[in-house]
């Protein structure tokens, strides 16, 4: 989820939108055409609809689309995934594109953002996606994985999402430079939620040196 910067200086110069590299195209494979369509929608409507700021467009693929794909290697083999605070569709839309075998629920509390997500799902013809207007704490279902990006610090995120995790399921949170500090701060919250200690995965993605995915797993039933 990305919030535009209202203080960003305005300019009459046209904004240059980042173009995907050959490596990015290869990473998406058969899903590239849909990913490109998603990027085009964001470039044309994202700023107008309050989803991305103009400063984000020159790094739209690197910073947002490809960054979101970093959670994919840690997703379950099958089942249902909840993307909490989907906003513009990160990482939920990217997850749905790369893993059409998973059922993805995009959870977003703001109506204008759920309208956007409905538009994206319709235009990309994503039959494995459901958009649900709700807060994480309002959900009652259990999931095989929960994803989140730019929603809250890890301590709060664990409190919000631990009730949603089935035995063996994981919270997969995309984090930045403070990942280690957030993990340290959340140590006792994780323990109280009866989850396994957090693991930080460092993923090398096209156009980005390292993306950090924090995984917090609920132990499998014995």
């Amino acid at each position: 989820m990305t919030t535009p910067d209202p203080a960003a200086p305005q300019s009459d110069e046209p904004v240059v939108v980042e173009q995907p590299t050959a490596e990015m195209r290869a990473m998406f494979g058969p899903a590239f055409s849909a990913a490109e369509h998603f990027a085009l929608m964001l470039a044309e409507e994202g700023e107008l609809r309050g989803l991305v700021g103009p400063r984000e467009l020159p790094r739209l693929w690197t910073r947002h689309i490809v960054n979101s794909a970093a959670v994919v290697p840690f997703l379950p083999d099958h089942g249902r995934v909840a993307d909490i605070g989907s906003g513009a569709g990160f990482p939920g839309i990217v997850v749905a594109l790369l893993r059409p075998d998973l059922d993805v629920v995009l959870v977003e509390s703001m109506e204008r953002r759920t309208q956007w997500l409905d538009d994206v799902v319709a235009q990309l013809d994503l039959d494995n996606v459901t958009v649900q207007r709700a807060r994480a704490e309002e959900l009652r279902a259990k999931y095989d994985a929960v994803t989140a990006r730019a929603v809250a610090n890890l301590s709060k995120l664990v409190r919000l999402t631990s009730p949603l995790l089935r035995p063996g399921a994981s919270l997969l949170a995309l984090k930045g430079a403070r990942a280690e500090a957030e993990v340290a701060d959340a140590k006792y919250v994780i323990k109280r939620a009866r989850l396994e200690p957090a693991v930080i995965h460092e993923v090398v993605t096209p156009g980005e040196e390292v993306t950090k995915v924090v995984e917090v797993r609920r132990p499998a039933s014995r």
Side-chain angles (χ1 to χ4, degrees):
M1 181 172 64
T2 305
T3 303
D5 180 4
Q10 301 299 311
S11 171
D12 293 331
E13 295 183 7
V15 176
V16 177
V17 181
E18 181 182 24
Q19 297 302 305
T21 65
E23 191 179 2
M24 293 174 185
R25 290 171 179 266
M27 183 185 74
F28 276 89
F32 176 74
S33 178
E36 189 174 41
H37 189 161
F38 179 42
L40 180 62
M41 291 180 70
L42 284 164
E44 291 180 345
E45 303 178 50
E47 183 183 358
L48 181 65
R49 296 175 71 158
L51 298 162
V52 294
R55 288 181 173 179
E56 300 303 305
L57 295 179
R59 49 187 180 175
L60 180 60
W61 282 86
T62 301
R63 177 80 180 271
H64 298 292
I65 298 176
V66 172
N67 173 270
S68 293
V71 302
V72 171
F74 312 105
L75 292 168
D77 293 336
H78 60 273
R80 203 162 180 237
V81 176
D83 182 44
I84 302 299
S86 289
F90 303 123
I93 292 294
V94 176
V95 166
L97 289 172
L98 289 171
R99 288 294 306 274
D101 54 322
L102 293 174
D103 291 324
V104 180
V105 181
L106 307 179
V107 182
E108 172 56 54
S109 62
M110 294 184 64
E111 184 178 7
R112 65 181 174 83
R113 289 176 177 164
T114 58
Q115 290 173 345
W116 158 261
L117 293 170
D118 282 333
D119 290 346
V120 173
V121 169
Q123 288 205 31
L124 301 187
D125 195 24
L126 294 173
D127 58 7
N128 63 324
V129 176
T130 303
V131 178
Q132 183 170 353
R133 186 182 175 194
R135 297 181 182 276
E137 55 267 36
E138 297 169 344
L139 301 178
R140 295 294 177 263
K142 301 288 185 181
Y143 299 90
D144 300 287
V146 174
T147 58
R149 180 179 187 265
V151 173
N153 63 48
L154 189 62
S155 295
K156 182 176 181 180
L157 204 52
V158 167
R159 287 193 290 266
L160 289 173
T161 63
S162 60
L164 310 179
L165 299 174
R166 287 178 175 150
S170 292
L171 164 64
L172 299 168
L174 282 158
K175 291 292 179 181
R178 293 197 72 255
E180 289 82 3
E182 287 195 33
V183 166
D185 290 344
K187 179 179 177 181
Y188 295 107
V189 175
I190 292 169
K191 187 175 181 179
R192 282 196 298 270
R194 298 183 179 180
L195 304 177
E196 295 178 359
V199 176
I200 300 175
H201 303 283
E202 294 189 346
V203 182
V204 178
T205 54
E208 186 94 18
E209 288 188 3
V210 172
T211 297
K212 295 180 180 180
V213 178
V214 178
E215 180 176 14
V216 186
R217 180 178 294 273
R218 182 172 296 288
S221 298
R222 294 182 179 178

